[in-house]
């Protein structure tokens, strides 16, 4: 069975009987040119870490252009399920468990700026090496910022967000709906797809997930979670994070508010991060998806929400 949900890789399910029966395995074939910006060795390491802590499937083998791993039974979420309190609290609890997983040695550096710099360098290389082709293939992107503008924006984000005291924790970093599997029978969720999983800022992982409420195929930022939903989500998250870390579970309103403000700010970095990613996908991917439109939507969301809104009351402080 070939799955069609992915926007980067191709996924094939192999099973006898039913897809939801034990024994099904998945074979993922890497997308074209993804080796330029995805560390496949690190991805395998993340598979092993998540599985060792009961948070992910077992990986069976890797090969030159893909991996084979255990199928996680359940259904991938859709945008409606994502907003149901009983389900989004499960997601918050699971993220809290993962964020409490400690590194084997030392304190890792957050992935964000290294990976963002890598994306930006690849964007620059493509702009420099194929200017004519670039203009033709990205003709639709008339409002696309220049490399200089993108570089300045990244520097600004790094300068401001590095001053925020957001802990570096084990993050999924790509928690869109199709990377969350809900098992109704067992009343649990599991996160899948660890291409970008690594140690990163706590608030980035949460803000990135909140951005996904707006959707992927039909992005609508009016669907970004309300202040009330975020507060409820963050409370469930903090309780789980503290419990998993062996700390006092009680959560104060001040703690929720502090994390809420951090998440609002890091959500801008998430839009910028995936905007750069989409620029690369527009050039290299063979998947049938309108990456060029996606670029404009994400970069517009990153550059423009510098005003006070009910969901983002403090992002104006970034400028």
């Amino acid at each position: 069975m070939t799955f069609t949900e992915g926007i980067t890789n191709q996924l094939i399910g192999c099973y006898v009987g039913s897809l939801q029966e034990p024994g099904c395995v998945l074979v993922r074939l890497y997308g074209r040119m993804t080796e330029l910006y995805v560390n496949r060795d690190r991805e395998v390491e993340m598979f092993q870490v998540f599985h060792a802590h009961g948070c992910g499937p077992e990986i069976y083998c890797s090969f030159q252009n893909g991996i084979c791993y255990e199928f996680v039974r359940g259904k991938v979420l859709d945008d409606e399920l994502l907003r149901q309190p009983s389900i989004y609290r499960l997601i918050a609890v699971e993220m809290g468990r993962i964020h409490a997983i400690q590194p084997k040695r030392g304190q890792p550096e957050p992935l964000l700026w290294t990976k963002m710099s890598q994306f930006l360098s690849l964007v620059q290389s493509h702009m420099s090496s194929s200017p004519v082709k670039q203009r033709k293939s990205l003709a639709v992107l008339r409002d696309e910022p220049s490399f200089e503008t993108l570089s300045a924006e990244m520097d600004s984000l790094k300068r401001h967000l590095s001053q925020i005291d957001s802990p570096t924790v084990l993050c999924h970093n790509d928690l869109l709906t199709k990377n969350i599997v809900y098992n109704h029978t067992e009343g649990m969720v599991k996160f899948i797809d660890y291409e970008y999983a690594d140690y990163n800022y706590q608030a980035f992982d949460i803000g990135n997930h909140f951005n996904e409420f707006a959707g992927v195929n039909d992005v609508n930022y009016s669907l970004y979670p309300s202040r009330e939903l975020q507060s409820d989500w963050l409370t469930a998250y903090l309780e789980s994070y503290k419990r998993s870390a062996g700390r006092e579970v009680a959560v104060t309103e001040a703690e929720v508010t502090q994390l809420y403000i951090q998440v609002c700010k890091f959500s801008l970095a998430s839009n910028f991060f995936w905007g750069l990613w989409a620029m690369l996908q527009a050039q290299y991917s063979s998947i049938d998806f309108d990456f060029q439109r996606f670029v404009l939507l994400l970069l517009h969301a990153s550059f423009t929400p510098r005003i006070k809104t009910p969901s983002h009351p403090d992002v104006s402080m970034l400028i």
Side-chain angles (χ1 to χ4, degrees):
M1 175 180 179
T2 301
F3 295 85
T4 59
E5 303 291 354
I7 59 173
T8 306
N9 308 295
Q10 293 182 325
L11 194 61
I12 301 170
C14 306
Y15 58 92
V16 176
S18 168
L19 178 66
Q20 296 294 338
E21 292 179 9
C24 175
V25 300
L26 296 181
V27 176
R28 174 142 58 88
L29 303 178
Y30 299 145
R32 180 175 175 269
M33 305 295 283
T34 55
E35 69 277 3
L36 289 176
Y37 47 87
V38 176
N39 184 332
R40 295 302 180 184
D41 291 336
R42 187 61 170 167
E43 179 188 13
V44 170
E45 290 178 18
M46 288 294 102
F47 253 101
Q48 294 168 340
V49 170
F50 275 65
H51 177 66
H53 289 85
C55 297
E58 182 178 2
I59 183 169
Y60 298 130
C61 67
S62 60
F63 45 96
Q64 185 174 1
N65 65 327
I67 53 176
C68 178
Y69 56 97
E70 177 186 10
F71 176 72
V72 178
R73 286 184 287 171
K75 64 176 294 186
V76 293
L77 291 189
D78 56 35
D79 295 341
E80 291 300 318
L81 284 174
L82 188 65
R83 309 185 74 84
Q84 292 186 12
S86 61
I87 294 179
Y88 74 61
R89 289 178 190 133
L90 289 176
I91 296 170
V93 168
E94 184 68 6
M95 187 181 286
R97 290 181 60 216
I98 292 169
H99 283 187
I101 296 174
Q102 296 298 306
K104 288 185 177 180
R105 61 187 73 86
Q107 181 60 36
E109 289 295 315
L111 170 79
L112 182 59
W113 310 120
T114 301
K115 184 62 70 174
M116 197 180 284
S117 295
Q118 182 185 15
F119 286 175
L120 194 57
S121 293
L122 289 169
V123 168
Q124 181 186 30
S125 296
H126 184 80
M127 287 180 171
S128 301
S129 62
S130 307
V132 176
K133 180 181 178 181
Q134 173 75 9
R135 286 195 294 271
K136 290 180 179 179
S137 63
L138 295 183
V140 68
L141 301 182
R142 294 175 182 175
D143 295 327
E144 178 193 292
S146 66
F147 170 78
E148 290 74 20
T149 301
L150 292 171
S151 182
E153 176 70 1
M154 179 183 141
D155 289 343
S156 177
L157 286 168
K158 184 175 182 179
R159 184 169 60 254
H160 287 90
L161 296 179
S162 294
Q163 298 174 12
I164 297 174
D165 189 24
S166 182
T168 300
V169 297
L170 180 61
C171 295
H172 184 280
N173 291 317
D174 188 19
L175 205 56
L176 68 163
T177 54
K178 303 309 179 184
N179 284 340
I180 305 171
V181 177
Y182 172 54
N183 188 315
H184 174 74
T185 303
E186 299 181 14
M188 61 185 292
V189 296
K190 291 294 181 185
F191 304 160
I192 58 174
D193 191 349
Y194 312 119
E195 285 186 303
Y196 300 97
D198 213 320
Y199 285 87
N200 203 2
Y201 295 106
Q202 176 191 55
F204 176 88
D205 210 17
I206 301 172
N208 181 76
H209 175 61
F210 284 173
N211 281 336
E212 300 298 344
F213 278 64
V216 175
N217 294 314
D218 187 18
V219 179
N220 179 1
Y221 281 103
S222 70
L223 297 176
Y224 191 91
S226 67
R227 173 69 185 264
E228 292 72 27
L229 190 154
Q230 291 182 65
S231 294
D232 189 37
W233 196 105
L234 293 172
T235 300
Y237 163 83
L238 284 169
E239 289 174 349
S240 172
Y241 178 60
K242 288 183 169 187
R243 182 182 302 109
S244 300
R247 295 161 52 189
E248 171 62 42
V249 176
V251 174
T252 67
E253 184 176 346
E255 288 175 313
V256 173
T257 299
Q258 179 186 35
L259 182 55
Y260 165 73
I261 293 172
Q262 293 175 344
V263 167
C264 286
K265 294 178 179 181
F266 270 96
S267 69
L268 297 180
S270 163
N271 281 322
F272 187 74
F273 181 90
W274 293 113
L276 294 177
W277 172 88
M279 290 179 72
L280 297 175
Q281 290 292 327
Q283 298 309 307
Y284 300 127
S285 178
S286 58
I287 301 293
D288 183 18
F289 184 81
D290 191 353
F291 287 107
Q292 295 180 341
R293 178 173 175 272
F294 202 49
V295 169
L296 288 182
L297 287 169
L298 291 177
L299 291 182
H300 183 265
S302 174
F303 279 92
T304 60
R306 308 303 176 80
I307 57 175
K308 293 186 178 182
T309 70
S311 295
H312 288 80
D314 292 279
V315 291
S316 59
M317 294 171 62
L318 277 175
I319 57 173

